[in-house]
Amino acid sequence: MSPKRPDKGQSAPSDPLGRGTVDEQIEELLDLPEAPARRQYLETHPALWTDEASLALKARADQLLRVDVRRSMAVALLLCDLGDVSGEPRYRALGLLARANAHSIGLGEYEEARALYDEAGAIYRTLGLQVEEARAQVGKVWPLACLGRYEEAVEVSEWSGRVLETNGQWAPLATLTMNMAAVHGRQGEDAAALDMLDRARQIHRRLGAEGTPVLALIEQNRAIVLRNLGRFDESVGASRQAWERLTALGQTVEAARARQNLAITYVVLGRYNRALQLLTEARDVFWADGRRRDAILVDLFMSDCLLMLRRFPEVLERTRQVHDLFHDLGTRFEVAQSLLNEAVAYAGLGRYDEAKASLAEARQRFAAEENEVWVAASDLELATILVREGCSADCQALLAACVAVFRKHGLLVREAQAQLVAARVAAAQGENRQATDWAQRAVDLGEAKGLASLTYEGYHLLGRLAEAEGDRRVALESYERAIADLEQLRGRLMVEFRVAFLEDKTAVYEDAVGICLATGQAQHGLELAERGKSRALLDLLAYRLDLGLRARHEADAPLVARLEALRAERDRLYRRWETGEQIPIRGGAPTAQQEVLALEKQITELWHQLLIRNHEYAHDAALWQVRTEPVQPYLDDGTLLVEYFGVHGRLVAFLVDRSRVEARPLPGDVDQVRRLIHLFWLNLRTVPHSAREHVAALAQNARRLLQQLHALLVEPLTDALPGYRQLIVVPHGSLHYLPFHALHDREAYLLERHEISYLPGASALRYCKEVRRPPDATELAAFGYSWQGRLQHTLAEAQQVAGHLDGMAYLEEEATLARLRSILDKCRVLHLATHGDFRSDNPLFSGLVLADGWLTTFDIFGLRLATSLVTLSACQTGRSAIGGGDELMGLMRAFLYAGSASLLLTLWPVEDRSAAEMIDTLYGQLAAGSSKAAALRFAERQALEQEHPYYWAPFYLVGDAGTL
């Protein structure tokens, strides 16, 4: 039996222990660590069996709800205990409401919350307290909506609203109005939601200071619907106002939610990097407070942003987590949203059947919610897929319906997006006037709202429509405006995200270059080609952006420490896995390879987080406009730069010397060249496993392939080549995998006629030429590591190289990462003879092995060099994964970024002995004063007696080809 509480109206007995006021006793009670101890305290302190104490506990639970949900729940349970020990049902009802709020607002457990709200309401109804019952139903509206019970939410709201308004309960009425606005917003009725929020704001302003906390929450909700209605400036202002007010009130969780809302608006505005930064910060707050539902929901919003960055595998991983959690919570809307994003990711990967299946399920769930806006959003994605599949005629009616729904709800941006897809359909069917009208509407809205993502697509389409009508001037103007908007979006990104972002956007550069070629504007065409090539590397070089693993701010320190620990663990596992040692596997389940790959994935994600947090360069509008560097001032009279570029499946070569720029279309198409390169690589891979007598036949086959490639790529230029001692080749696409120096004209290899070097982009030449070398630099440091005795010639190679230039040789156990880092600031030439590993699956972990670990691309980003030459005498050190915008992802990019003027690299696995002999010859020439390009040419010509190019052609020079 519960102890008897004081009679209603009586003051509570004084504390027999004399422990002070009620407030002091509550503080002492809350300081107790265990729930049983707190209940015992209540049972032995009847002075707390009062309305004053119950209201104080409820206020404390409400205050903690926005700061510490677990402690808020503990106070709510304590309040229920107070009701039990005192025998007062009103106190228990307050406790039930506090618990319901914690489940709903804090933990997203809506069914539990609904049941608790009902139990509290039943207590008040039994006691005949109608106003209190109505107040208890205010919080119930939101969980009902999240459970898809919209009609019930409206009924509850209407009844509670009448009672509250009749009795002048303005504060709960305003909160109820705000909750109903959120319900309307969830159903896509944003205009109605905004009206209700404005009404709630008016009510709360009448309350003065009492209404301030809820006013901040109202502004937070207004930001959401203003964004949906395309009123972005107002939305940003409302989010910032809510953030400031909630921070001032100490409501850290709600302040994080305001950051989250601002981030979602930034996604629409194309400020992707800032959005990811804010979302990460919000998620950290939610996880810290145990709000799993809110934290996982952030992953859904992150997936919206990552879709824009074409990071589709990450989106699929995040949406699956969202789907599973919200399916368990019984909230159909978030499940449907996760399925919609999953479908877009599948479509981005070209997995259209899976995309359509996810779309169908998402649409079904949105339809069950009676949410026609999101049904239309699903239909718009389906129409987009049909257009990609070439089924434009099948989606006209679908698009018309989407446009009508979005227009009905005042969703201008969604309407414009649907019109753009409709414009593409019209263009495909030859209805250019209609297509132009729709595309122009999208551009006009994008210009008015500052939506570069919309204007980029619109201008690109307008350019193609103008070109189809034969108006090349307007077409080029439209393409260049599209490129400017695209580069604005790209420039706002953390630099490592720029590569994937460009993967489906290079067509606009091709279109613009094509117009330039057709109108005889070779110089301008080259500039536009350069704007679309290797921009991430050139940004790194031009602006000295910092990708190193270091704490730039105090808050970075824990993240950097975590990354360093993960990197050390990855290196330990990788070395043991790679050398075949037994590795202790945690739990015995995953393989060593799986553990390594999981670690690498984690390192990559955390490194990206670090870079996102330190992307100040993405705020500077002056850096958004891509600039091309002049190449002609860096060419001498005997040098010709040949830059290849693909335009609509055909190749063009730009010929550049000190005085002219010429563009020449080439006869072969990109696919034909790609097939020949593929056959050449199949030939190369066969050589190491073939008997000596078969190598001669393989050599003949290789030469035929190289002759065919010469006919397509070089022969059309032969009249322009005489008189040039050196050729600088700038490849494009699959040409990066082709050794141009080994191309054969049926009489000689190209290297027999010219010195040849390479660049990832012509604009890089300036930075390679201007590398500042320290005045006290030593001649050379050579590292030789035999990889546990497997590479017998690496030690002799390092010693010979050091001998040629009077340098230092570090062999075996002395060839360490620590030693390398200690000598870099004084190293003019760096030679690494060891084992290399190219990782096409994750180029960040391509690397070279030394005695104490791996030197990976990731590590090289943290180095600072001023070397004239870095030689990576190992297997496939010059292989790169080709990303969006013809970006080369691998060791080459990292070493150029780190500050080397030139690199000597390998395209395929090198044969140990022949490589050592070539290197010895090359360094002998360098010591005699030859330029780097001339020395390499001499060494390769000396090796031509080995008939197959496999043995003499893997090495190639990138960057400055001059003397050391």
Side-chain angles (χ1 to χ4, degrees), residues 28 80 155 260 280 440-441 515 593 679 683 695 707 745-746 867 879 889:
E28 184 175 348
C80 289
E155 291 174 4
Q260 168 187 286
T280 300
Q440 189 62 56
R441 289 187 200 176
I515 292 286
Q593 182 180 11
L679 291 173
N683 183 295
V695 172
Q707 287 169 352
D745 64 5
R746 290 183 171 81
T867 49
R879 287 286 301 279
M889 312 297 288

Side-chain angles (χ1 to χ4, degrees), residues 680 684 699 702-703 706 742 749 908 946-954:
F680 176 68
L684 287 173
R703 184 175 296 180
L706 293 168
Y749 292 102
W908 55 79
Q946 300 184 72
E947 191 173 0
H948 201 292
Y950 175 85
Y951 296 102
W952 56 262

Side-chain angles (χ1 to χ4, degrees), residues 237-299:
S239 286
R240 286 177 174 163
Q241 188 177 91
W243 184 357
E244 291 170 3
R245 288 180 177 178
L246 291 164
T247 300
L249 291 167
Q251 296 190 11
T252 54
V253 171
E254 287 304 321
R257 212 181 306 279
R259 275 182 279 180
Q260 168 187 286
N261 290 338
L262 180 59
I264 299 169
T265 305
Y266 281 160
V267 172
V268 181
L269 292 173
R271 298 181 60 180
Y272 305 125
N273 227 71
R274 181 60 173 151
L276 288 173
Q277 183 180 18
L278 291 171
L279 288 170
T280 300
E281 292 171 0
R283 185 179 58 183
D284 290 346
V285 172
F286 296 146
W287 276 122
D289 196 38
R291 298 173 187 255
R292 181 167 177 255
R293 181 261 184 196
D294 288 322
I296 297 296
L297 186 59
V298 171
D299 280 329

